[in-house]
Amino acid sequence: MNFVRSVAAVVLISVVEHLLSLYLPALLYMDLFLLYSVYVGLIASPLTAVYSGFFVGAIQDVLSGLSIGMNGFSKTVIGFAAATARRYIVLDSTWLRFLAVLCASLLNMAIIGGLLYILGQPIRADFVRTSLIQAVCTSLGALVLFQVVDRLRRGTDKQLARPYAD
Amino acid sequence: MIRSVLSRPVVNLISLLIFNIFLLSVQLRTRSGQSLLKGWTLTLISPVISSSSYLCHQTLRVWDDYVSLVGTRKQNRRLQQEIQQLRVDLQRLQELNRLYLRMESYQKFQSQFQYQTVGARVVGKSPPFWKSTFFLNIGSNDTVRADDAVITPLGIVGRILSVAARTSEVELITNMGAAAGVLVGESRIQGIAQGNGNETLSIRYVSSQEQVHAGDLALTSGTDRIYPPGLPVGRVITAYNTTQISKEITLKPAVNLANVQEVLVLTDYRYRQ
């Protein structure tokens, strides 16, 4: 069930990203794939977070035209980092989550920039500026989306749990 | 401790990261256009290749430098002997060549010369501080007689001093007391060339009024009845007047007597006179 929901979420994110790229490209500054990786890290086991990050990153690479593995690498690390951080810090607070997403975005920027540099690939001149804007936008998006997803999850869990409760 | 660090998520994380790197390396290319995977593979393999190449090279070197050198000492000795033999052969051939050239000039001279001559080889020399003589390998058996003139194509050498059956002694023209009648210079001034006991001659009995200069050629005059006329005796080195009535003229022999090795002996000149 979790697997199906995960796949559905990834498909939904992919579709939304695709549509945003067509109609609202400004909103692409919000990295939905990163939000997904962090969120899975916050609610699932490290192993699940690692694999989720890997797959969602690979899909993001395909959609964004980057070399496959670039975002896969960063999202795998971010998923694992989020899952590991959750073991030591309670990240239920909204602002802590904002901070976690901001850190994850900066880590994402550092990993991708580092990979591009290490692998000898060209780096855009506005890479840092764009990445910082993306980090802020994604963190702000997390303030809203995480709340929405939390509510959806709670409602779904209640619906699923009801027959057993009865 | 290690087990806790290498927990299942960490192992999976590392595996996935490595897989991501692999994916990137398959797709990406360096700025020079080479595939990253290929470049990395080469980077990984190159130490092995270079190490094996180095080992192979060193092994071959050790083989060449040491193992293959077992017979080198023997071979070296044999080659040294061959070189020595070749040097001897070369010197012999060079000597033969020089001899051939000299003989050729001697034969040419003999054919043009109107007197009968016998070729001879110098087989011995007296110590120069005693007497300027040397020995020839021909003697009375070869019709050589005392006082026969000894010459080369370049000029006179001396005269036969004594004769044995197969050997004869030659008194060089530079020997103290040896003499020959000469004509000096363009004006053909008559004089007598006498040996000084060293490597020069002096011309006597030339009037101080005569014009003789350094470089003038002195030829035999034939008046001594030993040397036929017209043969070079030497060139004037110095010529100056003294308080006496005759000039003091020094002559350098036309033939380098120190190095002469073959000569011609005039066997019939004196009997024609």
Side-chain angles (χ1 to χ4, degrees), chain B residues 126-139:
Chain B
S126 64
F129 47 83
W130 282 345
K131 208 174 179 183
S132 299
T133 60
F134 54 56
F135 299 92
L136 303 179
N137 64 340
I138 56 174

Side-chain angles (χ1 to χ4, degrees), chain A residues 46-47 50-51 54 66-70 72-74 76-77 80 115 119-123, chain B residues 7-10 12-13 16-21 23-25 27-31 36 40:
Chain A
L47 193 63
V50 164
Y51 278 101
F54 170 71
L66 280 172
S67 302
I68 297 173
M70 198 73 76
F73 192 99
S74 69
T76 306
V77 173
F80 180 79
L115 281 175
L119 299 175
Q121 302 303 306
I123 302 174
Chain B
S7 59
R8 202 175 161 202
V10 174
N12 279 273
L13 170 72
L16 286 175
L17 293 181
I18 291 172
F19 185 63
N20 276 312
I21 295 290
L23 286 174
L24 286 169
S25 66
Q27 303 163 80
L28 296 177
R29 290 184 176 275
T30 60
R31 282 171 187 166
L36 272 179
W40 290 348

Side-chain angles (χ1 to χ4, degrees), chain A residues 46-66:
Chain A
L47 193 63
T48 306
V50 164
Y51 278 101
S52 297
F54 170 71
F55 286 114
V56 84
I59 290 167
Q60 188 181 12
D61 284 330
V62 173
L63 290 175
S64 61
L66 280 172

